[in-house]
Amino acid sequence: MKRFGRIVAVVTLVVFVLSLVLVFSPSEKAFSSAGSTKKIVFWHITTDAVGKQMIQNQVNRFMKAHPDFKVEVVPLQNDSFKTKLKIAMGSNQAPDVFVTWGGGPFFEYVRAGKVKDITAYMNENNYKNRFVDAAFGPITYNNKIWAVPVEGAGVALVWYNKEIFKKYNLKVPKTYDEFLNIVKVLKSKGITPITLANKTKWPGCFWYWNLVNKLGGASAFEKAAERTGGSFADEPFVKAGQMLQDLVKMGAFPKGFNGLDWDTGQSRMLLYSGKAAMELMGTWQIPIVKAEKKEFYEKNLDFFPFPSIKGGKGEPTSLVGMASSNYYAVTTTCKYPKEAFNMIQYLIDDQAVKERINYGQIPPVKGLKFTDPMLQKVYDVISKAKSIQLWWDQYLPPQLAETHKDIVQSLFGLTITPKAAAEKMEKAAKEYFKK
């Protein structure tokens, strides 16, 4: 019995000692995390091979300078990114850094407390002064800065196949009437005048937005959107719908255009093959075409600004778009916001600026010089613009923007009249803003 008692005592002592070890020793998790790599998750929408590698190289330079950090880079298709980000934000599984266009949808995330205020970071060492002033409008809210301007100026221009224009003796139009004459000539020659892939709705909106901008001036949209004496049922909006449907009825666009997918290049393929002559698209067309069809870019691609409309109130030099096409923001759930901001800086430092110009972008920084005449030409057009109207789907709140895109797609499909479309948009705006 004494021997059994001693065994029990020894066992009890061992258990007690082990319990002390467990209580006062660092956990296995603590041991494993002490020397572990810190992680930043980064989502962007540059999906062509050249652009993806460029961004990866820029991130690699950050990781080389910060060996304790690992950046998980996730390239996503444009529209799937929007859906995935919305879900991630709603479920508190957002990335640390994400791409944004600024404006209404972005400010929804800002108001929800999902985006970090980076004003202090931007003011440090006067970093903000690196960028052109016009770049800050879409990412400034309540006098605070919420994202970094990174990727090139994005404005809508009419891109065209020079070989086709030369073959049929077509001159770059200055007026909309001249443009319509080009459409008629091309149609008579069996060429699709304008390529369009409108499955995702926004590409077709470029036509409506530019028509309204040239008809009513930038203030027409701003007054309607801000509810400051304007209406989406005003004459410029109705007239723009009529002019858009006139193009459809003329056969200006390819068959089935409302079902073609821009993300997979279905509109550009028609441009490359010579089956279509023109496309109204953003200046991101430059790096994309350069990557997909370099020879076409160098020999065949050119552009002209959206032509003026006789009797319209819009400035001849006015554009639709933004001074920076893509911005990058840090989420409030990011564990390492200062380092995440620093990673973004590597995307637009001096080396990155050179890489982006070579890629075909016009970075939103001051004092740029170009060797590519196409980039210089775009830069000159942008710098001469009296106004740049922000993309409507970025200006409007997300819910209203989706309604608007649906309406414009219906206009293209000829399933709604221009007057009914304008009235439907105005009704939706009244209901949303309760004004």
Side-chain angles (χ1 to χ4, degrees), residues 99-130:
V99 66
T100 177
W101 301 276
F106 177 61
F107 294 149
E108 293 274 321
Y109 293 133
V110 170
R111 286 190 287 270
K114 304 290 186 181
V115 184
K116 180 168 178 60
D117 173 10
I118 60 167
T119 309
Y121 297 160
M122 293 296 291
N123 288 334
E124 193 174 321
N125 298 319
N126 203 25
Y127 183 65
K128 178 185 175 182
N129 195 49
R130 176 176 179 77

Short mmCIF file of all heavy atoms in Angstrom, two decimals, residues 99-130:
data_model
loop_
_atom_site.label_atom_id
_atom_site.label_comp_id
_atom_site.label_asym_id
_atom_site.label_seq_id
_atom_site.Cartn_x
_atom_site.Cartn_y
_atom_site.Cartn_z
N VAL A 99 -8.12 46.99 -55.89
CA VAL A 99 -8.23 48.01 -56.92
C VAL A 99 -9.61 48.65 -56.85
O VAL A 99 -10.60 48.00 -56.48
CB VAL A 99 -7.97 47.39 -58.31
CG1 VAL A 99 -9.06 46.41 -58.69
CG2 VAL A 99 -7.85 48.47 -59.38
N THR A 100 -9.69 49.93 -57.21
CA THR A 100 -10.97 50.63 -57.22
C THR A 100 -10.94 51.71 -58.28
O THR A 100 -9.86 52.17 -58.69
CB THR A 100 -11.29 51.27 -55.85
OG1 THR A 100 -12.53 51.99 -55.94
CG2 THR A 100 -10.20 52.23 -55.41
N TRP A 101 -12.13 52.10 -58.74
CA TRP A 101 -12.24 53.23 -59.68
C TRP A 101 -12.64 54.50 -58.95
O TRP A 101 -12.80 55.54 -59.56
CB TRP A 101 -13.26 52.91 -60.76
CG TRP A 101 -12.93 51.69 -61.54
CD1 TRP A 101 -12.07 51.60 -62.61
CD2 TRP A 101 -13.41 50.37 -61.31
NE1 TRP A 101 -12.00 50.30 -63.05
CE2 TRP A 101 -12.80 49.52 -62.27
CE3 TRP A 101 -14.27 49.79 -60.37
CZ2 TRP A 101 -13.05 48.14 -62.33
CZ3 TRP A 101 -14.51 48.42 -60.42
CH2 TRP A 101 -13.90 47.63 -61.40
N GLY A 102 -12.86 54.40 -57.64
CA GLY A 102 -13.32 55.55 -56.89
C GLY A 102 -14.80 55.81 -57.13
O GLY A 102 -15.52 54.97 -57.67
N GLY A 103 -15.28 56.98 -56.73
CA GLY A 103 -16.67 57.35 -56.96
C GLY A 103 -17.66 56.64 -56.05
O GLY A 103 -17.31 56.08 -55.01
N GLY A 104 -18.94 56.64 -56.49
CA GLY A 104 -20.06 56.16 -55.67
C GLY A 104 -19.90 54.79 -55.05
O GLY A 104 -20.02 54.64 -53.82
N PRO A 105 -19.64 53.73 -55.83
CA PRO A 105 -19.51 52.40 -55.24
C PRO A 105 -18.39 52.31 -54.21
O PRO A 105 -18.53 51.66 -53.17
CB PRO A 105 -19.21 51.51 -56.46
CG PRO A 105 -19.80 52.25 -57.62
CD PRO A 105 -19.59 53.69 -57.30
N PHE A 106 -17.27 52.97 -54.48
CA PHE A 106 -16.14 52.96 -53.56
C PHE A 106 -16.51 53.68 -52.26
O PHE A 106 -16.19 53.21 -51.16
CB PHE A 106 -14.93 53.63 -54.22
CG PHE A 106 -13.73 53.75 -53.33
CD1 PHE A 106 -13.11 52.62 -52.81
CD2 PHE A 106 -13.19 54.99 -53.03
CE1 PHE A 106 -11.99 52.72 -52.00
CE2 PHE A 106 -12.08 55.11 -52.22
CZ PHE A 106 -11.47 53.97 -51.71
N PHE A 107 -17.21 54.81 -52.39
CA PHE A 107 -17.58 55.57 -51.19
C PHE A 107 -18.59 54.81 -50.32
O PHE A 107 -18.70 55.09 -49.12
CB PHE A 107 -18.12 56.94 -51.58
CG PHE A 107 -17.08 57.84 -52.21
CD1 PHE A 107 -17.44 58.78 -53.16
CD2 PHE A 107 -15.74 57.73 -51.87
CE1 PHE A 107 -16.48 59.59 -53.75
CE2 PHE A 107 -14.78 58.54 -52.45
CZ PHE A 107 -15.15 59.48 -53.39
N GLU A 108 -19.32 53.87 -50.93
CA GLU A 108 -20.20 53.02 -50.12
C GLU A 108 -19.36 52.21 -49.13
O GLU A 108 -19.71 52.07 -47.96
CB GLU A 108 -21.00 52.08 -51.03
CG GLU A 108 -22.01 52.77 -51.92
CD GLU A 108 -23.35 52.98 -51.23
OE1 GLU A 108 -23.80 52.08 -50.50
OE2 GLU A 108 -23.95 54.05 -51.44
N TYR A 109 -18.25 51.69 -49.60
CA TYR A 109 -17.34 50.94 -48.72
C TYR A 109 -16.68 51.86 -47.69
O TYR A 109 -16.47 51.47 -46.54
CB TYR A 109 -16.26 50.23 -49.56
CG TYR A 109 -16.77 49.13 -50.45
CD1 TYR A 109 -16.37 49.05 -51.78
CD2 TYR A 109 -17.66 48.17 -49.97
CE1 TYR A 109 -16.84 48.04 -52.62
CE2 TYR A 109 -18.13 47.15 -50.80
CZ TYR A 109 -17.71 47.10 -52.12
OH TYR A 109 -18.17 46.09 -52.93
N VAL A 110 -16.36 53.09 -48.11
CA VAL A 110 -15.78 54.06 -47.18
C VAL A 110 -16.75 54.36 -46.05
O VAL A 110 -16.39 54.32 -44.86
CB VAL A 110 -15.40 55.36 -47.93
CG1 VAL A 110 -15.01 56.46 -46.94
CG2 VAL A 110 -14.26 55.11 -48.91
N ARG A 111 -18.01 54.63 -46.41
CA ARG A 111 -19.02 54.95 -45.40
C ARG A 111 -19.30 53.77 -44.47
O ARG A 111 -19.66 53.95 -43.31
CB ARG A 111 -20.32 55.41 -46.08
CG ARG A 111 -20.24 56.81 -46.65
CD ARG A 111 -21.61 57.31 -47.10
NE ARG A 111 -22.07 56.65 -48.31
CZ ARG A 111 -21.83 57.08 -49.53
NH1 ARG A 111 -21.12 58.19 -49.72
NH2 ARG A 111 -22.29 56.44 -50.59
N ALA A 112 -19.11 52.56 -44.99
CA ALA A 112 -19.34 51.36 -44.18
C ALA A 112 -18.15 51.04 -43.28
O ALA A 112 -18.18 50.05 -42.54
CB ALA A 112 -19.64 50.17 -45.10
N GLY A 113 -17.11 51.85 -43.35
CA GLY A 113 -15.94 51.63 -42.50
C GLY A 113 -15.03 50.51 -42.97
O GLY A 113 -14.26 49.95 -42.19
N LYS A 114 -15.09 50.19 -44.26
CA LYS A 114 -14.31 49.08 -44.80
C LYS A 114 -12.95 49.51 -45.36
O LYS A 114 -12.10 48.67 -45.64
CB LYS A 114 -15.09 48.37 -45.91
CG LYS A 114 -16.46 47.87 -45.50
CD LYS A 114 -16.37 46.70 -44.55
CE LYS A 114 -17.75 46.10 -44.26
NZ LYS A 114 -17.65 44.97 -43.32
N VAL A 115 -12.77 50.83 -45.56
CA VAL A 115 -11.57 51.34 -46.21
C VAL A 115 -10.78 52.24 -45.25
O VAL A 115 -11.36 53.05 -44.54
CB VAL A 115 -11.92 52.14 -47.49
CG1 VAL A 115 -10.66 52.58 -48.22
CG2 VAL A 115 -12.81 51.31 -48.41
N LYS A 116 -9.47 52.08 -45.25
CA LYS A 116 -8.63 52.86 -44.34
C LYS A 116 -8.37 54.26 -44.91
O LYS A 116 -8.07 54.42 -46.09
CB LYS A 116 -7.30 52.15 -44.11
CG LYS A 116 -6.38 52.94 -43.16
CD LYS A 116 -5.21 52.16 -42.68
CE LYS A 116 -4.32 53.03 -41.78
NZ LYS A 116 -5.05 53.51 -40.58
N ASP A 117 -8.46 55.25 -44.06
CA ASP A 117 -8.11 56.62 -44.40
C ASP A 117 -6.58 56.70 -44.52
O ASP A 117 -5.85 56.43 -43.55
CB ASP A 117 -8.62 57.55 -43.30
CG ASP A 117 -8.15 58.99 -43.45
OD1 ASP A 117 -7.59 59.32 -44.51
OD2 ASP A 117 -8.34 59.77 -42.50
N ILE A 118 -6.08 57.05 -45.71
CA ILE A 118 -4.62 57.09 -45.91
C ILE A 118 -4.11 58.53 -46.08
O ILE A 118 -3.00 58.74 -46.57
CB ILE A 118 -4.20 56.23 -47.12
CG1 ILE A 118 -4.87 56.73 -48.41
CG2 ILE A 118 -4.48 54.77 -46.88
CD1 ILE A 118 -4.28 56.13 -49.68
N THR A 119 -4.89 59.50 -45.64
CA THR A 119 -4.51 60.91 -45.78
C THR A 119 -3.14 61.18 -45.18
O THR A 119 -2.30 61.84 -45.79
CB THR A 119 -5.57 61.82 -45.14
OG1 THR A 119 -6.86 61.48 -45.62
CG2 THR A 119 -5.28 63.28 -45.46
N ALA A 120 -2.91 60.67 -43.97
CA ALA A 120 -1.62 60.91 -43.29
C ALA A 120 -0.47 60.31 -44.08
O ALA A 120 0.60 60.93 -44.21
CB ALA A 120 -1.66 60.32 -41.88
N TYR A 121 -0.67 59.11 -44.63
CA TYR A 121 0.37 58.48 -45.44
C TYR A 121 0.68 59.31 -46.69
O TYR A 121 1.83 59.47 -47.08
CB TYR A 121 -0.05 57.08 -45.88
CG TYR A 121 -0.27 56.07 -44.78
CD1 TYR A 121 -1.04 54.92 -45.00
CD2 TYR A 121 0.27 56.24 -43.51
CE1 TYR A 121 -1.25 53.98 -44.01
CE2 TYR A 121 0.06 55.31 -42.50
CZ TYR A 121 -0.70 54.18 -42.76
OH TYR A 121 -0.91 53.24 -41.77
N MET A 122 -0.38 59.83 -47.33
CA MET A 122 -0.22 60.60 -48.56
C MET A 122 0.48 61.94 -48.30
O MET A 122 1.20 62.45 -49.17
CB MET A 122 -1.57 60.85 -49.22
CG MET A 122 -2.25 59.60 -49.77
SD MET A 122 -1.35 58.80 -51.11
CE MET A 122 -1.54 59.98 -52.42
N ASN A 123 0.26 62.51 -47.12
CA ASN A 123 0.87 63.80 -46.78
C ASN A 123 2.31 63.66 -46.31
O ASN A 123 3.07 64.62 -46.34
CB ASN A 123 0.04 64.51 -45.71
CG ASN A 123 -1.28 65.05 -46.25
OD1 ASN A 123 -1.38 65.33 -47.44
ND2 ASN A 123 -2.27 65.17 -45.40
N GLU A 124 2.68 62.45 -45.87
CA GLU A 124 4.04 62.23 -45.38
C GLU A 124 5.06 62.45 -46.50
O GLU A 124 4.93 61.91 -47.59
CB GLU A 124 4.15 60.78 -44.85
CG GLU A 124 5.40 60.53 -44.04
CD GLU A 124 5.39 59.13 -43.42
OE1 GLU A 124 4.30 58.69 -42.97
OE2 GLU A 124 6.46 58.50 -43.39
N ASN A 125 6.05 63.30 -46.21
CA ASN A 125 7.09 63.66 -47.19
C ASN A 125 6.48 64.23 -48.48
O ASN A 125 7.06 64.13 -49.56
CB ASN A 125 7.96 62.45 -47.54
CG ASN A 125 8.70 61.90 -46.33
OD1 ASN A 125 9.21 62.67 -45.51
ND2 ASN A 125 8.76 60.58 -46.21
N ASN A 126 5.29 64.83 -48.34
CA ASN A 126 4.60 65.48 -49.46
C ASN A 126 4.39 64.52 -50.63
O ASN A 126 4.44 64.91 -51.80
CB ASN A 126 5.39 66.71 -49.93
CG ASN A 126 4.51 67.72 -50.66
OD1 ASN A 126 3.30 67.78 -50.43
ND2 ASN A 126 5.12 68.51 -51.53
N TYR A 127 4.13 63.24 -50.31
CA TYR A 127 3.96 62.22 -51.35
C TYR A 127 2.81 62.55 -52.29
O TYR A 127 2.87 62.28 -53.49
CB TYR A 127 3.73 60.85 -50.69
CG TYR A 127 3.60 59.70 -51.67
CD1 TYR A 127 4.67 59.31 -52.45
CD2 TYR A 127 2.41 58.99 -51.78
CE1 TYR A 127 4.57 58.26 -53.35
CE2 TYR A 127 2.30 57.92 -52.67
CZ TYR A 127 3.38 57.56 -53.44
OH TYR A 127 3.27 56.52 -54.33
N LYS A 128 1.77 63.17 -51.76
CA LYS A 128 0.60 63.53 -52.56
C LYS A 128 0.97 64.39 -53.76
O LYS A 128 0.36 64.29 -54.84
CB LYS A 128 -0.43 64.26 -51.68
CG LYS A 128 -1.67 64.73 -52.42
CD LYS A 128 -2.59 65.54 -51.51
CE LYS A 128 -3.77 66.10 -52.31
NZ LYS A 128 -4.65 66.94 -51.46
N ASN A 129 1.97 65.23 -53.60
CA ASN A 129 2.36 66.17 -54.66
C ASN A 129 2.96 65.47 -55.88
O ASN A 129 3.16 66.10 -56.92
CB ASN A 129 3.36 67.19 -54.11
CG ASN A 129 3.53 68.39 -55.02
OD1 ASN A 129 2.54 68.99 -55.46
ND2 ASN A 129 4.77 68.74 -55.34
N ARG A 130 3.23 64.18 -55.76
CA ARG A 130 3.76 63.41 -56.88
C ARG A 130 2.73 63.28 -58.00
O ARG A 130 3.09 63.15 -59.17
CB ARG A 130 4.15 62.02 -56.38
CG ARG A 130 4.63 61.05 -57.45
CD ARG A 130 5.09 59.75 -56.81
NE ARG A 130 5.53 58.77 -57.80
CZ ARG A 130 6.69 58.81 -58.44
NH1 ARG A 130 7.55 59.78 -58.20
NH2 ARG A 130 7.01 57.89 -59.32
#
